[in-house]
Amino acid sequence: MHIVLIRLIILLCALCSPAFCQQPKGDLLIADFEGDGWGAWKVTGEAFGPEPARGTLPGQMHVDGFKGKGLVNSFYKGDGTTGTLTSPEFKIERKFISFLIGGGKDAEKTCMNLLIDGKAVRNATGPNDKPGGSETLAPEYWDVSEFAGKTAVIQVVDNATGGWGHINVDQIVQTDRKPPQLLANAKREFRIEKRYLNLPIKNGAPKRVVTTLVDGRVEVKNDMELANAAPDWWAFMDVSAWRGKTVTLQVDKLPEDSTALSSIEQSDSIKGAENLYREPLRGQFHFSSRRGWNNDPNGLVFYHGEYHLFYQHNPYGWGWGNMHWGHAVSSDLVHWQELGDALAPDPLGPMFSGSAVVDWQNTSGFGKPNQPAQVLIYTAAGDPTVQCIAFSTDGRNYTKFSGNPVVKQITGGNRDPKVMWHEPTKQWVMTFYVEENGKHTIQFLSSPNLKDWTRMSHTDGFFECPDFFQLPVDGDAANRKWVLTAASSEYMVGSFDGTTFTPETPKLPGNRGRGFYAAQTFSDIPSNDGRRIQIGWFQTETRGMPFNQSMTIPMELKLTATVEGPRLTWTPVKELASLRARTHKFAPVTLQPDTVNPLTDVKAELVELRAEFEPGDASEVAFAVRGARIVYDAKKQELAVNGHRAPAPLRDGKQRLTIFCDRTGLEVFASDGLTYVPMPFQPKADELALAMQAKGGNAKVTALEVHELRSAWGAQ
Ligand code: FRU
C-alpha cells in the first residue's frame, strides 16, 4: 500500500479511538410526567395525587416554569398532605442529571433525593421558606459523574404539612451537556453619570436578591424577578443621588448564561417612557405608578400647597414585595406627578403603611423657622415590627429619624400607624393595628412630640390600616362625631375624649363594591376648605402592563343623619369636573318598558354619567356603559353593578346615580353617596356605546348628563 495511504488509515484509527471520540452522547429522559398515571414510579401517601398534576392545583398560587402539560406537584389537597414518589431503578450513564424544581425549601421534608444503595447522595429543594415567594419551577442539576455505571433511584419527598409544605418537579434528564451553572454573587459595577438604571424583569422568574452597594457599602436589598433573556418589562432604579459614585448591583444567584446584568442600561430616561400613561390598561384618571406594583395609599397630606400621595410600592416587581413608599404630588387631586420613592427598605425592614402630618408647632423639632416639617409615620416590617418616623421640610427629600423606632413592637405584625393632632388635649394621637390576646384591635397612643408615645386605650374588631377623624353631621359644626374605620372600610361612629373612643353605632358596612381596600383620608387640608377627602387602593389588575393596581378617585366623606343614625357618604371630589372635555345634556324623558334607549350622540372612552330618575312602576332601570351593566332593582331598592348587588335606597322617591368609567374600573355612587360601589372592570376598546332601559313599566328620567372625560395624564 502506498505509504501515505497507510499513514492516513493510522491517523483515522487514532482519531476514532475512545480517547478522541468524546462526542457527547444524547440525553436520556428519566421522566417528563406527561402521561396519565405514575407509570413505574411508586407512590406512598396522598400528597402526589393519583397522577401528575396539570399545572396549578386548587388553592395554589400560579405554578409555571414546568415543561409541557404535566408535572409533579405535591400540593394535592393543599399543603396538609404528605407522601413520597420514587422512580424505578436506572443506571447512571451521563455526567449530569438536570431537572426543574420548585415549592418548599426544606432539605429533609420538601425535597428530591438521588439514592444510591439506599443512601441520599444528592439533594435539591424548591426556593421557598417564607410566606409570599413564587411557584415557579427553576432549572437545577446534579453532577453525577462520580457515580457512573451505578444503579440509582430518584425520590421526591413531601413530609411537610405547613406553609410551603409541597414540592414541584418536572423534566428529569440524564445529560452530558453541562447545564448553565448558577453563579453566586454575580455583579456589575456602574459609575453613575445618569439618572436611572433600567432593569430587565420577567414576571414569574425566580426571585433573586439584588444588593445595591454604593462605593462598596450596602445601601439596600431588593427581590427581583430578573429576566435572563428577553424581559416582560423594564423597571427602573433612580440612582441620581449617587452621581459620580460607583454603584454595584450584586445578584445572589444568576445562571452563567443570563443576560440580566449585561442588559442593564444607565440612562436619563425610563425605558419605554415614550408610552408612559398611554399604555392600553393605564387608568386615565386613576392614579397608578409608572412602574411596578402599588397597594395602599399612605401618608395622604396637604403640605406647601400640594396634595401628597404616598403609597405602598414595589418598584421592581409586578406583584407585591420590596415595600417602598412611592410618592406623587398634585395641586388639584386630579393631575398627579410621580416623584421618586420617598422611603426605601432599611435594616429595620420593608416600609409598610402609615400616615403623614404637618407639625405646625414644631413639637418634633424637625421644622425650620417658618418651615413646619412634614412628618411620615410608618411601619418598618422587620422582626420585630416597629413604628418609625421620617421628616421633610421641602416635601421632596425625606430623612429617617435617627432615634427610630418610636414605638416598639407590641405584638408581631402590629402595623399601619395613622396619626392626627388632637387640639382639645394638645397632643398627637396615633391609631394602629395590633393583634392582642387573639383579637384584632386598634390601639390609641398619644405623644407630645411624635417621638415618645404612650398607650391610652384600644377598640376591638378592626383589622389593619385604621383611619380616625371627626366629621360634622349634616354640616352642623355643633354636632361633630368621630369615625373609626380600617382597611375593609367598615366603620363605627362615636365620640372621643382624647383617650378613649366610645362607639355609638355598631360596625357598619363601608363601600359596597369590590377591589376597594386600605383607604386613607388626607391630613391638614386647610380649614377654609375643611373637606375630609379619601383615596382607597383600587385593586385593578393590569396583566401585560409594566405596572399593576391603582388608586380610586378622590372622594369627599361626609356624615349624614338617617333614621338609623349618622352614616357616611362618598362623593367624587368636585375637582374631577376639570376633566370634562365635552358635556351632553339630555332632556327629561319617560322610558317605555323594554325599549333600549341608546344615547346616540355619545361615544366616549372615559365617561362620567349622572342620572336622576323616578322608577315609577318600572321594576328595573338599567344603564349600559361601555359594556358594563348598572341595573337598579326598584322593588328591592338595590343596585347591581355587573351583577354585584348593593342596597341603594331611594331618596325622596328618586335615585341619583353617578357613574365613572375608566379603562380599568367603574365607580358608581347611588343614594346621595350612601352607596359607593367600586368595581374593577376592563371595557373592550371598541365598546363605546351607552344606553338606558326600563323594564316592567315606565320610569321617568328627570335629569341626565354624560361627560366625556379627558385623560388626567396630560403634559408629564
Ligand atoms: C394592607 C397591608 C398593610 C401593610 C401593607 C403592606 O394592604 O397589608 O397592613 O402595612 O399592606 O404592603
Side-chain angles (χ1 to χ4, degrees):
M1 221 189 296
H2 194 279
I3 187 82
V4 176
L5 198 59
I6 290 171
R7 280 205 179 136
L8 195 67
I9 289 168
I10 292 171
L11 185 71
L12 279 173
C13 288
L15 281 173
C16 285
S17 78
F20 277 90
C21 278
Q22 286 293 310
Q23 284 283 17
K25 296 193 217 101
D27 291 353
L28 298 172
L29 180 70
I30 297 176
D32 60 5
F33 305 106
E34 292 301 300
D36 281 342
W38 290 115
W41 286 61
K42 280 202 203 73
V43 187
T44 67
E46 215 189 349
F48 294 93
E51 58 183 352
R54 304 255 140 180
T56 309
L57 291 172
Q60 192 173 27
M61 290 196 298
H62 180 70
V63 177
D64 56 14
F66 56 98
K67 204 163 171 231
K69 296 208 167 75
L71 77 155
V72 175
N73 180 349
S74 76
F75 195 73
Y76 186 71
K77 296 195 181 163
D79 273 331
T81 49
T82 59
T84 62
L85 181 67
T86 310
S87 76
E89 288 188 341
F90 62 94
K91 204 161 119 200
I92 301 219
E93 295 176 77
R94 298 289 185 272
K95 290 183 190 147
F96 306 100
I97 295 177
S98 69
F99 47 88
L100 300 167
I101 192 160
K105 183 182 181 177
D106 185 319
E108 283 173 14
K109 294 190 170 156
T110 56
C111 63
M112 182 166 87
N113 296 314
L114 180 71
L115 305 181
I116 293 181
D117 298 332
K119 230 181 84 206
V121 295
R122 293 287 182 271
N123 170 267
T125 69
N128 301 291
D129 57 0
K130 39 178 159 332
S134 158
E135 284 281 17
T136 300
L137 280 72
E140 281 198 31
Y141 72 93
W142 293 316
D143 184 334
V144 292
S145 45
E146 66 181 278
F147 307 118
K150 297 233 155 109
T151 299
V153 294
I154 282 175
Q155 187 177 49
V156 190
V157 179
D158 176 355
N159 245 327
T161 52
W164 285 115
H166 64 277
I167 179 88
N168 301 340
V169 174
D170 198 17
Q171 199 64 20
I172 310 174
V173 174
Q174 292 206 56
T175 180
D176 272 339
R177 285 172 299 149
K178 190 168 183 241
Q181 245 180 314
L182 278 184
L183 299 178
N185 297 331
K187 57 179 151 209
R188 185 167 162 207
E189 281 185 0
F190 302 84
R191 180 139 185 99
I192 300 304
E193 288 155 2
K194 306 214 162 138
R195 193 152 170 210
Y196 302 115
L197 294 179
N198 284 301
L199 309 162
I201 307 293
K202 179 99 188 149
N203 297 331
K207 281 199 176 119
R208 307 294 183 196
V209 182
V210 179
T211 307
T212 306
L213 300 105
V214 178
D215 286 343
R217 202 173 34 81
V218 174
E219 182 71 31
V220 66
K221 286 178 191 245
N222 289 289
D223 293 333
M224 297 188 200
E225 295 169 347
L226 287 175
N228 293 322
D232 287 336
W233 56 280
W234 294 84
F236 65 88
M237 181 182 281
D238 186 340
V239 288
S240 53
W242 305 313
R243 213 171 266 270
K245 298 191 175 170
T246 300
V247 165
T248 309
L249 295 188
Q250 181 177 303
V251 188
D252 62 339
K253 269 195 252 160
L254 206 59
E256 58 189 345
D257 60 348
S258 168
T259 56
L261 281 174
S262 61
S263 66
I264 295 174
E265 285 177 18
Q266 195 175 160
S267 168
D268 276 328
S269 55
I270 299 168
K271 216 170 158 73
E274 55 294 352
N275 291 325
L276 202 54
Y277 300 118
R278 272 177 248 160
E279 302 94 337
L281 291 181
R282 177 73 73 176
Q284 294 294 294
F285 56 92
H286 287 89
F287 176 81
S288 56
S289 192
R290 288 174 292 182
R291 289 284 189 272
W293 157 276
N294 81 262
N295 51 297
D296 317 349
N298 297 149
L300 302 182
V301 66
F302 186 79
Y303 180 68
H304 287 340
E306 288 176 324
Y307 297 93
H308 288 253
L309 161 62
F310 300 89
Y311 55 94
Q312 290 288 283
H313 185 209
N314 183 356
Y316 309 117
W318 193 81
W320 184 90
N322 299 319
M323 282 297 128
H324 287 60
W325 272 36
H327 188 196
V329 289
S330 170
S331 57
D332 63 0
L333 290 163
V334 176
H335 300 88
W336 293 97
Q337 184 198 356
E338 185 178 330
L339 306 170
D341 290 331
L343 300 175
D346 64 30
L348 292 181
M351 304 286 101
F352 274 22
S353 288
S355 54
V357 292
V358 182
D359 184 6
W360 293 104
Q361 293 165 53
N362 202 16
T363 62
S364 62
F366 295 143
K368 294 185 191 149
N370 299 320
Q371 263 182 294
Q374 185 194 73
V375 181
L376 313 182
I377 308 97
Y378 62 92
T379 299
D383 188 11
T385 294
V386 291
Q387 316 311 315
C388 296
I389 56 178
F391 59 94
S392 170
T393 49
D394 62 4
R396 292 293 182 274
N397 299 290
Y398 292 82
T399 308
K400 287 174 180 162
F401 174 47
S402 57
N404 278 337
V406 294
V407 183
K408 293 206 183 99
Q409 174 171 300
I410 297 178
T411 63
N414 53 188
R415 59 181 179 273
D416 309 336
K418 169 75 183 192
V419 173
M420 51 125 197
W421 177 253
H422 187 249
E423 184 54 30
T425 53
K426 304 238 177 299
Q427 60 179 353
W428 298 102
V429 172
M430 175 193 290
T431 51
F432 86 120
Y433 163 69
V434 179
E435 182 178 336
E436 210 173 28
N437 305 323
K439 280 193 189 143
H440 290 169
T441 73
I442 302 302
Q443 298 284 328
F444 290 75
L445 283 73
S446 70
S447 172
N449 55 10
L450 294 165
K451 297 173 178 167
D452 304 299
W453 291 93
T454 312
R455 283 173 79 173
M456 299 192 293
S457 65
H458 64 91
T459 298
D460 292 349
F462 286 97
F463 185 49
E464 59 191 25
C465 303
D467 198 355
F468 188 52
F469 47 84
Q470 204 179 18
L471 282 175
V473 179
D474 287 329
D476 177 2
N479 182 19
R480 304 208 300 164
K481 299 276 177 201
W482 285 88
V483 177
L484 178 64
T485 179
S488 67
S489 93
E490 291 162 305
Y491 65 100
M492 282 186 196
V493 182
S495 62
F496 181 61
D497 61 5
T499 306
T500 309
F501 172 68
T502 309
E504 293 166 9
T505 66
K507 201 156 75 167
L508 300 163
N511 86 90
R512 299 289 192 158
R514 287 209 183 109
F516 179 90
Y517 200 68
Q520 288 287 301
T521 62
F522 277 89
S523 183
D524 294 282
I525 299 222
S527 53
N528 61 357
D529 176 328
R531 286 178 297 171
R532 179 61 46 184
I533 297 169
Q534 185 185 58
I535 292 179
W537 167 23
F538 199 13
Q539 297 168 332
T540 52
E541 192 181 83
T542 46
R543 269 186 197 276
M545 299 292 108
F547 59 90
N548 188 12
Q549 313 288 310
S550 64
M551 296 297 168
T552 65
I553 53 172
M555 295 166 287
E556 184 177 356
L557 296 187
K558 289 184 189 160
L559 274 180
T560 190
T562 71
V563 284
E564 287 152 342
R567 293 292 181 268
L568 276 179
T569 65
W570 285 258
T571 313
V573 294
K574 58 180 189 289
E575 286 87 340
L576 288 161
S578 70
L579 294 174
R580 294 175 183 168
R582 205 169 148 206
T583 294
H584 305 262
K585 277 203 167 59
F586 295 84
V589 59
T590 298
L591 301 178
Q592 307 297 326
D594 305 314
T595 317
V596 179
N597 301 263
L599 306 182
T600 33
D601 281 356
V602 196
K603 286 230 168 339
E605 189 202 2
L606 309 172
V607 182
E608 175 189 349
L609 182 150
R610 287 176 182 263
E612 182 190 74
F613 59 87
E614 292 162 9
D617 53 7
S619 56
E620 224 178 80
V621 182
F623 293 82
V625 178
R626 301 212 51 206
R629 302 260 315 149
I630 296 109
V631 182
Y632 189 62
D633 178 331
K635 298 282 164 315
K636 292 196 177 138
Q637 301 207 15
E638 275 180 7
L639 189 68
V641 177
N642 284 347
H644 177 89
R645 295 182 88 87
L650 291 173
R651 307 271 288 167
D652 310 324
K654 289 190 171 153
Q655 184 53 274
R656 278 174 282 272
L657 289 184
T658 301
I659 303 169
F660 279 89
C661 178
D662 198 345
R663 290 182 186 173
T664 55
L666 293 167
E667 283 169 280
V668 181
F669 300 82
S671 306
D672 299 333
L674 285 166
T675 301
Y676 165 49
V677 189
M679 186 61 54
F681 166 69
Q682 293 177 3
K684 294 201 189 75
D686 56 356
E687 281 249 31
L688 296 169
L690 285 93
M692 50 188 184
Q693 187 179 9
K695 280 200 180 148
N698 292 321
K700 211 193 275 172
V701 177
T702 46
L704 175 65
E705 55 185 51
V706 180
H707 306 280
E708 295 178 23
L709 303 183
R710 62 175 76 89
S711 168
W713 303 115
Q716 275 292 320

